[in-house]
């Protein structure tokens, strides 16, 4: 299999590629994550996944002709019509968790795959529902003190201690972690990149 260039430094996305035995190199995209007003919130992660992928495609093209495969991904939380990304600090993480507790929100992951062999792009979006149980202030403070909120959309990881408070998951766990396996496999099939040969 040809190696995939992963336009992300996310350890969770790397773990998923390792699980699938997909060879990859990490080349994180450095873009401003700004979404134009005409993009609806549900489409924002796929839009940003494309921007990350395009950024790395252009970066590689400056140094070599053979670009190969580039994978971009982005995950965001949608609650009450507002998108939530990674909290910038402890206070913002506390604010997010406080909003989510006792309610259901959506976790949306967008993925974009560039096939440099035929110069084609595949994209997918996976939408999932997470319901947090009601939390008291002591529980919120304890969770924030774990530091688990660093570097993740919405300020929590379902595969971490946040699971203590996640009452219900509707959807795809790998998508919530940042890279939906079903959609990823579907894109690879569409582009002729076989995981089973």
């Amino acid at each position: 299999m040809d190696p995939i260039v992963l336009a992300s430094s996310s350890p969770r996305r790397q773990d998923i590629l390792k699980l699938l035995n997909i060879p990859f190199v990490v080349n994180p995209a450095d873009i401003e994550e700004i979404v134009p007003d005409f993009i609806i919130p549900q489409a924002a992660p796929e839009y940003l996944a494309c921007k990350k992928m395009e950024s790395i495609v252009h970066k590689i093209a400056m140094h070599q002709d053979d670009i190969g495969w580039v994978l971009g991904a982005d995950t965001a939380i949608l609650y009450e019509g507002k998108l939530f990304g990674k909290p910038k600090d402890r206070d913002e993480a506390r604010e997010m968790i406080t909003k989510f507790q006792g309610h259901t929100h959506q976790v949306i992951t967008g993925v974009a795959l560039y096939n440099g062999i035929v110069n084609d792009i595949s994209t997918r979006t996976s939408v999932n529902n997470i319901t947090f149980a009601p939390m008291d202030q002591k529980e919120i403070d304890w969770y924030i003190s774990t530091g688990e909120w660093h570097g993740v959309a919405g300020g929590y990881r379902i595969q971490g201690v946040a699971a203590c408070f996640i009452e219900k998951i509707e959807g795809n766990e790998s998508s919530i972690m940042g890279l939906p396996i079903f959609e990823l496999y579907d894109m690879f099939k569409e582009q002729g990149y076989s995981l089973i040969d």
Side-chain angles (χ1 to χ4, degrees), residues 10-102:
S10 163
R12 270 67 54 197
R13 292 183 180 126
Q14 294 175 46
D15 288 344
I16 289 168
L17 292 179
K18 287 175 191 171
L19 173 73
L20 298 172
N21 291 315
I22 297 171
F24 67 94
V25 293
V26 175
N27 192 345
D30 184 21
I31 65 164
E32 278 194 76
E33 297 191 12
I34 298 171
V35 180
D37 291 340
F38 63 84
I39 301 287
I40 62 170
Q42 290 85 346
E46 188 174 301
Y47 171 84
L48 289 173
C50 286
K51 288 298 176 188
K52 291 175 182 180
M53 175 271 297
E54 289 167 1
S55 165
I56 298 305
V57 167
H58 292 310
K59 184 177 170 183
I60 294 170
M62 291 170 60
H63 304 287
Q64 61 192 58
D65 294 330
D66 181 16
I67 296 170
W69 301 85
V70 181
L71 178 65
D74 188 77
T75 301
I77 306 292
L78 182 63
Y79 177 62
E80 294 186 335
K82 182 183 172 190
L83 284 172
F84 295 81
K86 299 170 187 172
K88 63 180 183 294
D89 56 32
R90 176 183 288 259
D91 289 340
E92 191 170 44
R94 180 180 284 104
E95 185 181 320
M96 289 181 185
I97 296 299
T98 301
K99 280 183 193 296
F100 301 153
Q101 61 90 26

Side-chain angles (χ1 to χ4, degrees), residues 4 43 63 79-81 86 109 130 144 162 173 176 181 192:
I4 303 293
H63 304 287
Y79 177 62
E80 294 186 335
K86 299 170 187 172
T109 296
I130 298 282
I144 297 303
E173 188 172 332
I176 297 163
I181 291 174

